[in-house]
Amino acid sequence: MRIVTAMQMKNIDKAAIEDYGIQEIVLMENAGTAVAKKVEEMLGNIHNGDIFIAAGTGNNGGDAFVAARQLLNHGFKVKLFVLGDKNHFTASAKINYDILHKISNEIYEIETDHDWDKVKMALSLSNAVLDGLCGTGMKLPLRAEHKKMINLINKYSKKTIAIDLPSGVEADRGEVEDDCAVKADFTVTLGLPKIGSLLYPGAAFVGQMQVEDINLPAALLNDINICHKLIDYDLIKNYLPARPMDAYKGSCGRVLAIAGSVGYTGAAVLCTKAALKTGAGLVTLGTGESLYDIFAEKLLEIMVKPLPEADKGAVSTAAVDVILPREESYDAILLGPGLGRNPATLDFVQKFALQVKKPLVLDADAIFAFAGQAEKLKQCAHMPILTPHLGEFANLLQIKVKDLKHNLWQYAQESAKEYNCVFVVKSEKTIVACPDGQIFLTTVGNPGMATAGSGDVLAGMITALRADKLNTIKAAIAGVYLHGKAGDLAAQEGMVGVIASDIINKVQMVRKSIDVK
Ligand SMILES: NC(=O)C1=CN([C@@H]2O[C@H](COP(=O)(O)OP(=O)(O)OC[C@H]3O[C@@H](n4cnc5c(N)ncnc54)[C@H](O)[C@@H]3O)[C@@H](O)[C@H]2O)[C@H](O)CC1
Ligand SMILES: [K+]
């Protein structure tokens, strides 16, 4: 499913009206009807409950007026409070405001302190709250009266449905000012999900999201110019073919992981085990020769290839001439987990990455090796996949983390294009940014996965998928999805306490659930 900015949604509305002749008032009627249906569904057996509705003067409020009419028709008692200048209703909202006024006398303006007392009384008596204050048209900072209304709604904490977006959540980035946004149990989003409702802190206010197409033409909702999509089952369901009956270990993806250093042997174990559990047929760990005994002892199914080292455990540039002659033995190569930042190792990474002819995944210290030199990545034989967390990405681009965070999607999109890389940028909402401008946003995973080694596991999983014939973008997307789903399964035993090995142990079950039959 595609996800949109406020402007992109406005353009879809505009196209619906101008290209298809679907008038805004029709879309509003569809929106309000869908919202009213959700209220009734949420209230279950309360058939004549009291509904508190807060409405603005824009089309978000217009949706609320339509919903109010529907709910009244179905026997509910509605108290609706309008916030904003009544002389500035949008046209469609005004039409529905006037219709509603002919049906109900429980439509209130809020001008005096007494009116706010009525708000509190109505909230305290309500069975449900409908938030139609503002949606994609809201620009921060919030006006004081809206903050007051939002804080009151949250204070009475009734079952709450937000229309399109929880009021107070910024539509494009998910920004929320002073934690002041409607804490919704459900958000009925219209047309397509707004990016801001999927990013924190905004995402924390959405509750369960329900997407209603409000009868917009499918061609508009699937417009290829909308280049942001969700990573969900629907997207990846055909990515992972079931294993053919005539498979053999060399036909399921041969991975080489160059990883590990003194004090960071765990990363090498995690990324290689993750590659195997993701389905790679053969996995080899290339590591400093003095660590060979440790890994040979630890690893059964993974072959260990001792490499020349500069200092104990630090792979050196001489390793380039050891691996390159044998590169045809591998289908994809992972560089980085726990590799360390010895200058000789960083030199090895750059020299190897720019000479090897096999698909590459760069993680952790291998990304560090290109800090401030990302343009060199364009010399890789295949479009590489980089899996930085925010700090590693900021360091690669040589910018501050806070600047990166404020404009993450733009930096990711521009960097992917400029350096011809796929960036898997790990944060509470991992994204996959591609050179063609596409950005994919994960819908799975949980805070329990913020644990040592989780990134090593992801890097190993992506490399295994890349080795098993998935192209660069699909390998990155499928890896993020599998990793998040495995992490969600691991968190079922308790989110706190998930460790990276738990994620690895759930990968098999996730693959079983999504492999194409
Ligand atoms: N997606 C669709 O196809 C449809 C969406 N609909 C709804 O339309 C709104 C967008 O409507 P718009 O009129 O552009 O703006 P809003 O109603 O979201 O917001 C304007 C509203 O909010 C007040 N406001 C703006 N900024 C602030 C602020 N900083 N503080 C307080 N108040 C603010 C402003 O005064 C107005 O009252 C979309 O979200 C959907 O709900 C269509 O109805 C159907 C088609
Ligand atoms: K809203």
Side-chain angles (χ1 to χ4, degrees):
M1 179 176 289
R2 295 178 193 273
I3 51 182
V4 289
T5 61
M7 182 51 71
Q8 287 173 322
M9 196 67 241
K10 215 164 203 49
N11 292 338
I12 288 175
D13 294 354
K14 193 161 170 281
I17 295 164
E18 293 173 2
D19 303 348
Y20 292 85
I22 304 174
Q23 293 313 304
E24 187 179 77
I25 197 79
V26 171
L27 295 173
M28 186 172 284
E29 193 70 17
N30 296 345
T33 302
V35 167
K37 190 160 168 273
K38 187 63 191 176
V39 172
E40 294 189 51
E41 190 186 291
M42 181 180 79
L43 285 177
N45 57 3
I46 304 175
H47 298 301
N48 55 356
D50 289 286
I51 317 287
F52 176 93
I53 301 181
T57 56
N59 284 351
N60 198 248
D63 297 344
F65 299 144
V66 173
R69 171 163 34 99
Q70 179 103 64
L71 290 164
L72 284 164
N73 284 349
H74 290 188
F76 291 88
K77 293 184 281 302
V78 169
K79 281 192 174 54
L80 188 143
F81 293 84
V82 180
L83 262 189
D85 181 348
K86 266 183 52 184
N87 301 316
H88 289 97
F89 276 121
T90 56
S92 301
K94 180 73 170 74
I95 292 169
N96 280 296
Y97 177 80
D98 292 343
I99 294 169
L100 192 59
H101 245 293
K102 296 184 177 70
I103 296 172
S104 165
N105 55 11
E106 299 270 13
I107 314 295
Y108 305 98
E109 318 297 326
I110 305 175
E111 273 131 13
T112 65
D113 285 348
H114 176 60
D115 296 331
W116 283 108
D117 292 339
K118 278 195 280 189
V119 167
K120 290 169 192 164
M121 178 60 75
L123 272 170
S124 63
L125 296 172
S126 67
N127 300 103
V129 170
L130 185 53
D131 160 28
L133 282 174
C134 45
T136 54
M138 188 278 291
K139 299 282 173 274
L140 287 171
L142 273 171
R143 288 187 211 121
E145 58 178 9
H146 285 68
K147 280 186 177 177
K148 186 172 180 178
M149 176 63 88
I150 289 169
N151 289 330
L152 275 175
I153 288 172
N154 290 339
K155 179 181 168 207
Y156 284 86
S157 65
K158 302 283 182 164
K159 276 277 188 202
T160 300
I161 289 181
I163 300 177
D164 208 25
L165 272 169
S167 297
V169 172
E170 191 273 334
D172 294 355
R173 286 196 177 85
E175 288 168 351
V176 172
E177 182 199 38
D178 303 333
D179 201 34
C180 183
V182 169
K183 291 185 174 71
D185 297 279
F186 299 92
T187 294
V188 179
T189 196
L190 308 163
L192 290 167
K194 308 324 172 280
I195 292 170
S197 61
L198 298 157
L199 299 179
Y200 292 102
F205 293 86
V206 167
Q208 282 181 45
M209 182 187 287
Q210 179 170 314
V211 183
E212 291 291 339
D213 66 25
I214 58 172
N215 226 353
L216 282 160
L220 294 180
L221 299 175
N222 296 312
D223 179 350
I224 54 165
N225 294 313
I226 299 170
C227 51
H228 300 149
K229 288 181 194 167
L230 292 178
I231 298 178
D232 53 14
Y233 173 73
D234 201 41
L235 178 69
I236 62 95
K237 62 190 174 193
N238 298 317
Y239 281 15
L240 302 173
R243 180 155 293 183
M245 294 313 287
D246 63 348
Y248 60 97
K249 60 180 182 294
S251 68
C252 305
R254 300 165 300 161
V255 166
L256 169 64
I258 301 173
S261 60
V262 172
Y264 297 97
T265 52
V269 174
L270 288 167
C271 69
T272 49
K273 283 199 165 179
L276 266 184
K277 292 300 276 183
T278 305
L282 283 169
V283 177
T284 303
L285 168 64
T287 191
E289 54 203 354
S290 60
L291 301 177
Y292 174 80
D293 292 347
I294 296 173
F295 288 117
E297 176 73 29
K298 269 178 178 287
L299 301 173
L300 286 179
E301 301 89 350
I302 291 145
M303 294 167 281
V304 185
K305 183 175 193 53
L307 296 175
E309 54 189 21
D311 300 315
K312 183 171 168 40
V315 174
S316 72
T317 312
V320 174
D321 299 331
V322 172
I323 306 166
L324 283 188
R326 300 183 44 73
E327 67 174 58
E328 281 314 313
S329 308
Y330 311 110
D331 299 308
I333 299 172
L334 168 58
L335 294 180
L339 199 54
R341 296 181 178 180
N342 182 298
T345 303
L346 300 180
D347 184 54
F348 156 76
V349 168
Q350 277 217 16
K351 286 197 169 59
F352 180 76
L354 303 185
Q355 292 181 60
V356 70
K357 296 291 175 281
K358 289 294 173 176
L360 282 180
V361 177
L362 302 181
D363 182 45
D365 297 324
I367 295 172
F368 184 85
F370 285 92
Q373 305 173 65
E375 72 287 343
K376 288 186 177 176
L377 292 163
K378 290 189 281 195
Q379 299 170 38
C380 291
H382 296 263
M383 185 194 297
I385 300 170
L386 278 74
T387 59
H389 56 55
L390 290 175
E392 290 164 341
F393 197 29
N395 185 53
L396 175 73
L397 303 181
Q398 295 285 283
I399 59 174
K400 288 192 176 63
V401 174
K402 70 176 177 55
D403 296 337
L404 173 67
K405 282 184 85 163
H406 187 68
N407 254 322
L408 176 59
W409 287 41
Q410 192 174 343
Y411 276 116
Q413 201 165 38
E414 288 171 1
S415 306
K417 192 170 183 172
E418 186 173 350
Y419 307 124
N420 193 42
C421 297
V422 169
F423 284 106
V424 176
V425 186
K426 299 174 290 189
S427 66
E428 70 277 7
K429 279 280 187 171
T430 295
I431 59 171
V432 176
C434 309
D436 63 4
Q438 291 189 99
I439 290 188
F440 298 87
L441 173 68
T442 191
T443 59
V444 289
N446 62 79
M449 297 170 70
T451 179
S454 181
D456 304 319
V457 172
L458 175 61
M461 294 175 70
I462 291 174
T463 309
L465 296 166
R466 185 76 179 96
D468 192 15
K469 305 181 241 348
L470 277 189
N471 71 30
T472 311
I473 294 177
K474 284 187 175 181
I477 290 170
V480 166
Y481 183 79
L482 283 173
H483 183 252
K485 282 298 274 186
D488 288 342
L489 280 181
Q492 282 176 359
E493 292 162 41
M495 192 185 288
V496 175
V498 168
I499 60 175
S501 308
D502 299 335
I503 301 171
I504 294 176
N505 294 335
K506 297 296 183 186
V507 172
Q508 208 170 337
M509 206 184 294
V510 174
R511 274 223 63 166
K512 183 180 173 197
S513 70
I514 60 175
D515 277 3
V516 177
K517 304 297 175 256

